Amino acid sequence: MRSFRHLWVFLLAGMLAACASSPKAPEAAAPAPAPTPTLPPLRIGLALGGGAAKGFAHIGVIKMLEANGIKPVVVTGTSAGSVVGALYASGMDAYALQERAVALDEAQIRDVSLFSGGLVKGQKLEDYVNAQVDHRPIERLPVPFAAVATRLEDGQRTVFRRGNVGQAVRASSSVPGVFEAVTIGRWHYVDGGVVSPVPVDAARELGADFVIAVDIGSKATGDGYDPRSLLGNVNQSIRIMGQRLASEELQRADVVIRPAVNDIGPTDFSQKQRAILEGERALQAALPQIRDRLSAVLSARAETARAQEEARRQRNAPPPPVPCMTERRWITPWKRSCKGN
């Protein structure tokens, strides 16, 4: 009898212990991190500013970009920048550009019209550019290209993305007071530097994700400035206006290159080799900044893409399963109870 009582107490204690504890629910597996989606290549744009003969510096910049494996896939240009940009977009590499620069004589692109007060017509420049690009229109150039000009009637910034390459470059390069305005359709156009000295925005509009801008514009300084000269006052006013406009647009570039060519005169073709060298030096000095900025932009793109992919996965994920509880009841075997079932 005592043995039976001991056995019953032992069984009762075991059942109470079983009821007092319930097995732990299995831990949910941690969700796998969202994979980084495959991103399209970063589209690098090159925005080449105006500056007459100082524009040869653009060739040096392009030489160093190519030497360091940085290949722009979008090119925009204003004034002198449109000349170099059009030739580069036609498929020439930096060394081909340099060969043509060395061989270029000012007489090849300068045609003075006696009927317009000695202004340069610009027809020679148009013909020269068209010959260099094999008379292809802008939309058939291997690299997307745009030339920026100013519509004289209302000051509208005009971005030429189709049509006659030479004519677009001529319009973009028609410095007021030096070149005749260019007639295209019912409008007249002058130098793009009046509204966009360095065409960063045009490069963005053409699809660039990362813009390298090259600023060769003359800076407004007191050196050599004579306030008693009417022409000097006009030139100084243009410099100030261009400087302010450029500073605003350049803030929207990722990297700005400034070759040391401010002392080269607008028609000083004898300094072309030096201008090319200054372009090389300026780009070489900016390489660490370019690489750091490229790395930061690529990391930001990848992080944004991962966040978007994770949000998409969460939107499309199936609803979580209804939680189940496993419990042991008095005398009864194990029983699973799921709410809703």
Side-chain angles (χ1 to χ4, degrees):
M1 186 68 177
R2 180 179 297 177
S3 299
F4 178 77
R5 186 183 300 118
H6 288 169
L7 178 61
W8 174 251
V9 170
F10 176 77
L11 290 174
L12 181 61
M15 285 186 233
L16 289 173
C19 290
S21 61
S22 58
K24 294 182 179 179
E27 295 183 0
T36 302
T38 302
L39 297 173
L42 190 72
R43 291 172 60 83
I44 298 176
L46 186 60
L48 305 177
K54 292 180 289 186
F56 291 107
H58 293 317
I59 298 173
V61 169
I62 293 170
K63 280 181 67 176
M64 285 298 100
L65 284 174
E66 290 186 344
N68 288 277
I70 301 172
K71 181 70 174 177
V73 297
V74 167
V75 182
T76 57
T78 290
S79 198
S82 73
V83 180
V84 176
L87 271 56
Y88 184 53
S90 73
M92 295 183 192
D93 61 19
Y95 291 96
L97 288 173
Q98 186 167 3
E99 285 180 2
R100 282 159 176 77
V102 171
L104 179 64
D105 185 86
E106 189 179 0
Q108 293 177 265
I109 57 173
R110 188 171 183 271
D111 48 355
V112 177
S113 172
L114 298 177
F115 297 101
S116 58
L119 297 180
V120 177
K121 292 177 63 177
Q123 186 62 52
K124 277 191 173 184
L125 174 62
E126 179 179 332
D127 295 342
Y128 172 81
V129 171
N130 278 333
Q132 298 301 314
V133 303
D134 296 327
H135 298 277
R136 288 172 290 181
I138 295 174
E139 61 270 23
R140 288 184 53 198
L141 298 180
V143 177
F145 168 72
V148 178
T150 305
R151 198 161 69 191
L152 196 55
E153 280 77 5
D154 55 7
Q156 180 69 41
R157 179 183 71 109
T158 302
V159 181
F160 289 101
R161 299 174 58 176
R162 300 181 61 83
N164 187 313
V165 177
Q167 190 177 55
V169 169
R170 177 183 175 186
S172 180
S173 304
S174 294
V175 181
V178 179
F179 280 73
E180 293 180 356
V182 179
T183 304
I184 302 177
R186 64 189 184 93
W187 305 104
H188 299 83
Y189 296 91
V190 294
D191 196 300
V194 174
V195 290
S196 181
V198 187
V200 174
D201 293 341
R204 297 281 188 201
E205 293 163 8
L206 215 56
D209 304 308
F210 186 95
V211 178
I212 300 171
V214 187
D215 179 17
I216 57 169
S218 296
K219 303 301 179 287
T221 65
D223 298 339
Y225 165 59
D226 182 1
R228 297 167 298 180
S229 167
L230 177 60
L231 183 58
N233 286 336
V234 171
N235 288 336
Q236 186 75 348
S237 299
I238 291 174
R239 288 192 190 100
I240 294 170
M241 179 183 67
Q243 192 170 310
R244 290 179 64 86
L245 285 172
S247 66
E248 293 176 6
E249 192 164 355
L250 287 170
Q251 292 177 15
R252 296 187 283 276
D254 293 280
V255 178
V256 180
I257 312 298
R258 291 186 172 93
V261 292
N262 199 44
D263 60 330
I264 296 178
T267 60
D268 193 355
F269 276 52
S270 67
Q271 296 283 338
K272 63 178 75 170
Q273 291 283 24
R274 186 197 142 205
I276 293 172
L277 181 59
E278 292 295 347
E280 294 176 16
R281 288 173 174 165
L283 193 282
Q284 193 69 35
L287 267 177
Q289 181 191 6
I290 293 174
R291 291 196 172 112
D292 288 347
R293 184 62 183 149
L294 276 171
S295 177
V297 169
L298 288 170
S299 297
R301 290 177 83 218
E303 186 60 34
T304 299
R306 278 194 294 268
Q308 292 174 343
E309 177 64 16
E310 179 62 27
R312 187 194 66 79
R313 288 179 63 189
Q314 292 180 1
R315 286 195 303 270
N316 298 333
V322 178
C324 294
M325 295 180 61
T326 304
E327 58 181 330
R328 179 177 289 175
R329 297 185 177 177
W330 177 257
I331 302 296
T332 61
W334 288 92
K335 180 179 180 181
R336 293 177 61 82
S337 64
C338 295
K339 294 180 181 179
N341 292 338

